Amino acid sequence: MVDVQLRARGVVDQRVLGAMLGVPRHEFVPENYRAEAYEDHPLPIGEGQTISQPYIVAVMLQALELTAGNKVLEVGSGSGYVTALLAELGAQVFAVERHSVLAARSRETLAALGYHDVRVFLGDGTLGLATWAPFDAIIVSAAAPDLPAVLLSQLRDGGRMIIPVGLADSQQLQLIKIQNGQPRVSVRELCRFVPLVPGVGDSRE
Ligand code: SAH
């Protein structure tokens, strides 16, 4: 996975590559999909949601230029796979997931693998986590129709956010850096994520 899908396609950040070598992706995938855990595509994780394609995860993490100790908000933590990667990168992780089944399962998986310092909150990630703001970085793993102003407001100056923005069936990753209080946006890879849905709930949308 790391050589063929990441290095060969230009992911160069050694820390991101190291984290992706270290985290056992199959542990975050339902039993019946484990054989495909390291393949080049997203996989179902229940509740109509998916664990993201490894390449897109790597691109998002690389873009955030995280350093150890960074305070990171993760919106849409799903299986907990990206949560574990953030922990491997030395971040202080605050994850939010709107589906209680996924939040509970990811907490179990993360604890079983020894990731005890991550916090997974059940809640509406579109609201961010005002109590813990400001963040050095925000990673949003679900697609938004446009940039959520609330999340931008929870970044510190110098902070970065990566988020898929666009239509339901096709988006582009946007990297936002706050410089002197102003958001600077750069548009990156095309991608396809499940939608960012306001509110908390367990039904399939
Ligand atoms: N990084 C996760 C991606 C899961 S898919 C992984 O690799 O497993 C995106 C997740 O975003 C889904 O679990 C979905 O339930 C969640 N989500 C969608 N809207 C949300 C919201 N408003 N608040 C929190 N989580 C949300």
Side-chain angles (χ1 to χ4, degrees):
M1 177 184 92
V2 169
D3 280 339
V4 175
Q5 299 167 35
L6 310 185
R7 277 202 190 93
R9 286 189 194 140
V11 179
V12 291
D13 186 321
Q14 290 302 329
R15 296 185 61 241
V16 170
L17 294 170
M20 294 197 66
L21 275 174
V23 174
R25 185 171 158 92
H26 62 276
E27 299 285 354
F28 296 86
V29 165
E31 298 257 329
N32 48 329
Y33 287 106
R34 288 215 166 147
E36 295 174 57
Y38 296 91
E39 290 184 11
D40 191 19
H41 50 74
L43 287 170
I45 55 170
E47 308 300 314
Q49 308 303 319
T50 54
I51 181 171
S52 310
Q53 180 195 14
Y55 172 68
I56 287 291
V57 171
V59 162
M60 292 174 88
L61 291 174
Q62 177 168 263
L64 288 176
E65 298 179 287
L66 298 175
T67 52
N70 273 182
K71 204 160 125 187
V72 180
L73 171 65
E74 183 194 6
V75 175
S77 50
S79 66
Y81 176 61
V82 174
T83 322
L85 290 167
L86 291 167
E88 286 286 337
L89 289 165
Q92 258 183 283
V93 194
F94 300 85
V96 187
E97 170 54 51
R98 71 185 292 274
H99 280 288
S100 59
V101 174
L102 298 179
R105 194 183 302 143
S106 67
R107 283 188 197 115
E108 277 174 30
T109 310
L110 289 161
L113 293 173
Y115 296 103
H116 298 296
D117 291 339
V118 298
R119 298 171 178 83
V120 179
F121 298 90
L122 175 65
D124 180 0
T126 63
L127 306 175
L129 285 174
T131 322
W132 299 95
F135 297 97
D136 297 295
I138 300 179
I139 179 166
V140 183
S141 298
D146 36 42
L147 280 181
V150 178
L151 295 183
L152 283 178
S153 75
Q154 293 185 14
L155 279 174
R156 70 163 176 80
D157 202 37
R160 292 86 59 202
M161 173 159 82
I162 188 94
I163 177 171
V165 177
L167 305 172
D169 57 356
S170 166
Q171 308 101 35
Q172 265 180 304
L173 288 178
Q174 293 196 6
L175 176 68
I176 301 95
K177 290 190 186 182
I178 309 291
Q179 283 169 354
N180 303 319
Q182 295 301 314
R184 311 255 179 249
V185 181
S186 64
V187 176
R188 305 289 180 95
E189 274 76 0
L190 281 169
C191 54
R192 187 172 177 170
F193 278 81
V194 296
L196 185 66
V197 180
V200 177
D202 287 316
S203 57
R204 281 164 191 257
E205 277 88 17

